[in-house]
Amino acid sequence: TTNTDCLTCPSGSYLFASTRDSYTQGSCVVLGACPAGFIDTSPTTCEACSITCATCTGLSENDCLTCNASNSTPYLQLASTIATTGPCQVADPVTTNCPQGTYTSAAFTCTACHADCLTCTGPTNTECTSCGTGDKLISGTRNGYLDGQCTTLGSCPSEFTEITTGTCTACHSTCTDCFGASD
């Protein structure tokens, strides 16, 4: 027999019921607890979490506490499920797969945009890429308004013009009103 043919382990060891990372099914390892990526399914047995999970509370892909971002296919989790458990999604490097109103954080987590933003690239109110109905996105910094902000004014503020529907573009610095973009 080999060290991966175990059905039970001596006291102080954990039996691995499945293979993941450097742990092989049927092996006994002396540990204080199951390592990340595994869950205790009995007092001395470690079972692998779903491959989408880095840590979990159960064996289902819906039992992820955190997502497996270091896998060859990284996964991300919606911010609304981080405090509890939930599924992880494939982190697409081109289209982040985060739903509207969230962005992909460095930790491969879909994190909520600032409340002013409909879509965004980060958490602040100057990282909006689109705004809610009736609001306008500021493009350029002028007159106390910052690039990437949303304004709730019904029209563009002074020193801005609406060249593209829904976006207020800053006038040239020599203008107080304009009909074209700054150069």
Side-chain angles (χ1 to χ4, degrees):
T1 67
T2 69
N3 67 344
T4 59
D5 292 335
C6 302
L7 295 174
T8 60
C9 297
S11 179
S13 294
Y14 278 82
L15 173 66
F16 283 82
S18 51
T19 298
R20 180 170 178 174
D21 303 327
S22 61
Y23 300 98
T24 306
Q25 181 177 352
S27 62
C28 292
V29 179
V30 178
L31 295 169
C34 291
F38 289 86
I39 185 171
D40 291 338
T41 54
S42 76
T44 57
T45 302
C46 298
E47 183 78 42
C49 299
S50 165
I51 193 65
T52 64
C53 307
T55 58
C56 63
T57 59
L59 302 176
S60 162
E61 63 185 21
N62 292 319
D63 295 327
C64 299
L65 283 171
T66 58
C67 297
N68 189 354
S70 62
N71 192 31
S72 60
T73 302
Y75 295 88
L76 57 85
Q77 188 171 29
L78 298 179
S80 62
T81 62
I82 289 176
T84 58
T85 60
C88 296
Q89 305 173 13
V90 172
D92 187 320
V94 177
T95 62
T96 61
N97 286 339
C98 285
Q100 183 172 292
T102 65
Y103 69 97
T104 304
S105 71
F108 287 104
T109 303
C110 288
T111 304
C113 295
H114 188 275
D116 292 350
C117 307
L118 182 62
T119 59
C120 66
T121 58
T124 70
N125 70 338
T126 59
E127 295 176 284
C128 303
T129 54
S130 68
C131 306
T133 304
D135 296 346
K136 302 207 183 291
L137 180 66
I138 298 293
S139 176
T141 300
R142 188 110 195 259
N143 195 22
Y145 292 93
L146 300 174
D147 191 52
Q149 280 184 313
C150 290
T151 177
T152 56
L153 302 172
S155 60
C156 290
S158 175
E159 300 180 21
F160 286 84
T161 187
E162 189 169 358
I163 296 170
T164 305
T165 303
T167 301
C168 296
T169 303
C171 296
H172 188 273
S173 61
T174 60
C175 302
T176 55
D177 195 12
C178 63
F179 59 89
S182 63
D183 302 87

